[in-house]
Amino acid sequence: MGITLSELSYKAYVYLFDLRYFAKTVKDAGYEEKDIKNILNDAETLYKHLLNANTQKSEVDQYNILSEVFKLSDSILNDLKTMCCADKFINEKTDLIVETFAIKEKTEVIMNHILKKK
């Protein structure tokens, strides 16, 4: 399969940590934090969903939760892409976009794996 739910949950935890650091950096630089606050809320929900998916025995329940994770990661990805920030933050923003895309794609891989088992 390539990645397990546990590994994806850990990746999301690290991602959430990176996102929080980025939010703090942006806030400390005096930028409006409204955009990043919404992204952070979605990322925290995404992580909680992944933890919940890990506890589910039913693959149907896992799939349903992962579909929410997929939607959240897509939303975060779009929000990050449209978020305006100074050039000095572009590398961090790009890294977060790449991490978000990876979470989205790995979620889809797990969802497809569940469907193939059916």
Side-chain angles (χ1 to χ4, degrees):
M1 176 167 77
I3 190 165
T4 66
L5 271 174
S6 295
E7 292 168 336
L8 185 57
S9 295
Y10 178 74
K11 184 169 183 52
Y13 175 77
V14 172
Y15 167 74
L16 185 56
F17 181 81
D18 291 344
L19 198 53
R20 285 179 178 155
Y21 180 78
F22 177 71
K24 182 182 178 337
T25 304
V26 169
K27 182 181 175 189
D28 290 349
Y31 285 88
E32 179 62 40
E33 64 177 296
K34 186 180 99 179
D35 292 337
I36 195 73
K37 190 178 247 185
N38 291 335
I39 293 169
L40 270 175
N41 288 337
D42 284 349
E44 288 172 4
T45 302
L46 180 147
Y47 176 63
K48 288 175 186 175
H49 281 329
L50 283 171
L51 291 177
N52 186 22
N54 268 322
T55 65
Q56 300 300 314
K57 300 291 184 212
S58 164
E59 287 185 333
V60 172
D61 292 338
Q62 287 177 348
Y63 185 88
N64 291 336
I65 293 168
L66 289 173
S67 67
E68 290 301 314
V69 169
F70 185 83
K71 290 174 193 173
L72 282 168
S73 60
D74 190 47
S75 174
I76 294 167
L77 186 60
N78 289 329
D79 289 346
L80 280 171
K81 286 180 181 177
T82 59
M83 185 179 132
C84 295
C85 66
D87 288 345
K88 66 182 179 178
F89 299 119
I90 202 72
N91 289 335
E92 291 88 350
K93 179 182 164 183
T94 302
D95 289 344
L96 288 170
I97 288 171
V98 169
E99 288 180 61
T100 307
F101 184 77
I103 289 171
K104 179 183 168 192
E105 291 299 306
K106 289 174 188 211
T107 300
E108 186 174 32
V109 166
I110 294 172
M111 290 169 64
N112 287 334
H113 180 72
I114 290 171
L115 285 177
K116 287 179 184 176
K117 289 171 113 181
K118 298 270 173 212

